Every structure is written in C-alpha cells, then in structure tokens.
Amino acid sequence: MIIVWILIGLVVLAAIVGVVTYNGLIGLRNKVEEGWRQIDVELKRRHDLIPNLVETVKGYASHERGTLEEVMQARSAAMSGAATPAAAAQAEGQLSQALGRLMAVAEAYPDLKANQNFLALQQELTSTEDRIASSRRYYNALVRDLNTKVESVPSNIVANMAGVKRAEYFEAPATEAVVPNVSFGDTLGQGPQGAPGVAPSTQPGAVGGPSTQPGAAPGALPQAQAPGAAQPDPTRDSGTPNA
C-alpha cells in the first residue's frame, strides 16, 4: 500500500512539474512574440521616416539619383515582410548600409546639413535606431531564455509535447570596420621608413649629441673618466709636456 501511495505521489509531482514547466514555456514564448512586435513597431517607424528624408536630400542633391533610388529600393525590400527574424535582419542591414551611403552624400552639402527639416529627420532617425537596438537586446535576451528551456532537460520533454520550438535571434549583420588612414605627409627630418627624425641632443653626454670634450671630433661621444683620475686642465695645451 505504501508503494502505491509513493507511486501516486510521484505521478502527482511529475504532473505538477510538467504543468509549471509548460506554463513557463508558454509565458516565455509569449514574451518573445511581444518583444518582436516592439521591434516591428520601431522598424515601421524607421520606414516611415525614410521617404521624407530622401525628399529633403533630393532638394539639395537631386543629381545623386543612384543613391536615393538605392535607399528607396532597400526600404521596399525591408517592408516586403520577411518570413523570419533572420531574414528581416538581413533586409534591415541592407537598408542601414544604404542609409549610411546617403548620409555620406549629405556631408558634401553644407546647406543640406544646415537645413532644419533634415536635422530634425536625422535626429528622429537616430533616436529610432537607438530604440531598435534596445528592443533587439531585450528580444534576444528572451530568445536566449526560451531556447535554453527548449534544449534543457526535463523542460525539453514538455516543449516537444507542447510543440514549443526554438526562436530565432534578431541580429544586425556585422559590418566591416574601416580604419581611417591617417597621413601626416612628408616632413623634413624624417628617419628611415617615414619615422620622424630626432634632432641631436644638446645635453652634455647625450647619446648622438655633440661631444663636450675639448678637441673632440664632431659627433664623438664623451669619454668616461676612471674613478679618481685627474681631470684634464682645459687651459693647458695637451700637446705640451708637463714641466
């Protein structure tokens, strides 16, 4: 009889653990979906800002037609509706690169950079990008928690029974960092391989500096004196024998 009660207790405990695990998985899945909706809202806001930005740039740089069309094409591709977060991240990455080229073009037009409408749109776009990055971090943290539960024992058993699958991360494509090539130009006095030359030191005893000893050849190093040795008298001719 005791064994029966033990078995019943184990079954009840397993059922409780299963229910708690199932509820946790469903809660995480719902949070992931909510996190993705937040990203989608910010992406749509970004898409809505781009036409006004392009029109403003067109007023000052209408001949930059190729760059402007590239931005609008990338926007259309991003708005077409990606099937997965990974595909959406790829499309948004292409749009970000096109926007970067557009901003680079704007740098060549001082009047455009001073336009209040352009500055307001640029600030709003920057603020939207920051919110997208914040929402992406929140969403990816939820995805990590859900995937950990789906892959861990014993929650993976409940996940398989409930049909809870792994979620995809929304990660911005890595962009290659370009290191600026800073050149100081050719200057006089450079050493080998463009290294700046070092002027001779005027300090007594400095390496490479002029010798402070009387009669020394130019560029010669000062001679060290042995301890206790008499210092030569600079008023006496070194060629005259001592009396």
Side-chain angles (χ1 to χ4, degrees):
M1 189 63 180
I2 297 179
I3 297 177
V4 174
W5 282 109
I6 291 176
L7 292 176
I8 293 175
L10 292 175
V11 171
V12 172
L13 180 61
I16 293 174
V17 171
V19 170
V20 172
T21 302
Y22 174 80
N23 291 338
L25 288 168
I26 298 302
L28 280 174
R29 186 178 66 181
N30 292 340
K31 288 182 178 179
V32 167
E33 293 175 353
E34 180 184 358
W36 177 250
R37 284 193 293 269
Q38 291 180 4
I39 293 177
D40 190 52
V41 168
E42 298 301 335
L43 291 179
K44 288 180 179 178
R45 181 176 183 82
R46 181 198 198 193
H47 299 158
D48 292 340
L49 289 172
I50 291 175
N52 292 334
L53 183 66
V54 169
E55 288 298 323
T56 303
V57 174
K58 187 186 296 184
Y60 292 84
S62 58
H63 60 282
E64 301 286 353
R65 184 177 303 273
T67 303
L68 299 175
E69 290 180 351
E70 188 177 332
V71 172
M72 295 306 294
Q73 290 173 0
R75 173 182 178 267
S76 298
M79 293 180 62
S80 61
T84 62
Q90 185 67 28
E92 293 297 332
Q94 296 294 330
L95 178 57
S96 296
Q97 293 177 10
L99 283 173
R101 288 187 286 271
L102 178 64
M103 293 303 177
V105 166
E107 290 294 324
Y109 297 89
D111 292 340
L112 172 60
K113 291 169 59 178
N115 182 276
Q116 294 299 321
N117 188 34
F118 176 77
L119 292 176
L121 288 171
Q122 189 178 32
Q123 183 177 4
E124 186 64 28
L125 185 62
T126 301
S127 177
T128 302
E129 296 286 353
D130 292 339
R131 289 196 294 270
I132 291 174
S134 177
S135 299
R136 181 174 63 243
R137 288 191 294 269
Y138 173 72
Y139 169 80
N140 286 340
L142 293 174
V143 170
R144 181 194 61 221
D145 294 341
L146 176 62
N147 292 347
T148 300
K149 289 287 187 181
V150 170
E151 297 174 354
S152 300
V153 178
S155 56
N156 62 336
I157 300 174
V158 179
N160 290 333
M161 296 174 59
V164 179
K165 306 294 183 181
R166 283 175 48 88
E168 280 192 353
Y169 290 97
F170 181 73
E171 296 179 340
T175 55
E176 183 178 358
V178 179
V179 180
N181 184 15
V182 180
S183 175
F184 296 99
D186 295 333
T187 57
L188 295 177
Q190 284 187 333
Q193 299 180 355
V198 180
S201 174
T202 58
Q203 297 298 325
V207 177
S211 174
T212 58
Q213 296 298 328
L221 297 179
Q223 302 295 323
Q225 299 293 331
Q231 298 293 332
D233 187 357
T235 62
R236 183 182 295 275
D237 188 355
S238 59
T240 304
N242 293 331

